[in-house]
Amino acid sequence: MARRGTTRQQDTDRAASRGAGTKPTAPEDPAADRASSARLWLRLFLLALLGAALTSGLVLPWKVIALVLALFALAAGVVALVKAVGAKFPRFVVLATSLGLAAALFLTAGTAASVLLWPVTRTYEDCMSRALTLQAQSDCEDGLRSLDVFGGA
């Protein structure tokens, strides 16, 4: 029955426009769901890896953010790789994800080493921030190679 002052067609159009945001009653295609989930995890992996790469150059204590992002990128990359294989994505996507995982692994290892060697890294960063000449920068690098925590030799 039409509301007062409207036709049945107008009521049907209004009901259809209101229902646009609701869940469909028919079940969706499982393959499309797998592909959508894989794309979501691939995006998360890419964003986490990019964020880790951009923040890895920061000084301590901000370098810890890069470590957290790199660890998340590793986890998201593994999930994305499994989902991409399950969704039967092209080989290029699987290969690119695998290479991204290798990059995330190296980035995680390097950042973790910097964070684990906090005193050495802090001393090196302080030394490099004060170094005005090439000789002073070379001295800072020599101190880093010898793991000189206390800054004097």
Side-chain angles (χ1 to χ4, degrees):
M1 181 169 167
R3 287 187 301 165
R4 216 174 193 177
T6 62
T7 65
R8 273 191 194 183
Q9 182 61 37
Q10 289 171 335
D11 285 342
T12 306
D13 291 343
R14 283 189 188 130
S17 67
R18 277 190 306 247
T22 62
K23 292 183 180 178
T25 56
E28 292 186 22
D29 182 24
D33 285 344
R34 283 195 302 270
S36 175
S37 178
R39 281 192 296 274
L40 172 71
W41 281 100
L42 284 168
R43 282 188 206 114
L44 285 174
F45 170 57
L46 181 64
L47 287 174
L49 185 59
L50 181 65
L54 290 176
T55 58
S56 66
L58 297 176
V59 295
L60 289 173
W62 304 109
K63 203 174 288 258
V64 175
I65 294 171
L67 180 60
V68 170
L69 285 172
L71 288 171
F72 179 75
L74 277 176
V78 169
V79 172
L81 184 62
V82 169
K83 287 185 176 278
V85 169
K88 295 182 174 60
F89 277 11
R91 288 185 187 175
F92 177 74
V93 174
V94 174
L95 178 67
T97 306
S98 300
L99 291 174
L101 270 171
L105 184 64
F106 284 115
L107 184 62
T108 302
T111 308
S114 293
V115 171
L116 289 175
L117 297 172
W118 191 292
V120 175
T121 305
R122 173 61 84 188
T123 303
Y124 173 72
E125 288 173 350
D126 289 344
C127 181
M128 287 300 280
S129 69
R130 290 188 313 263
L132 298 176
T133 64
L134 292 176
Q135 180 61 40
Q137 289 177 354
S138 176
D139 291 343
C140 292
E141 290 171 2
D142 290 341
L144 177 66
R145 284 191 198 98
S146 68
L147 297 177
D148 183 16
V149 178
F150 302 108

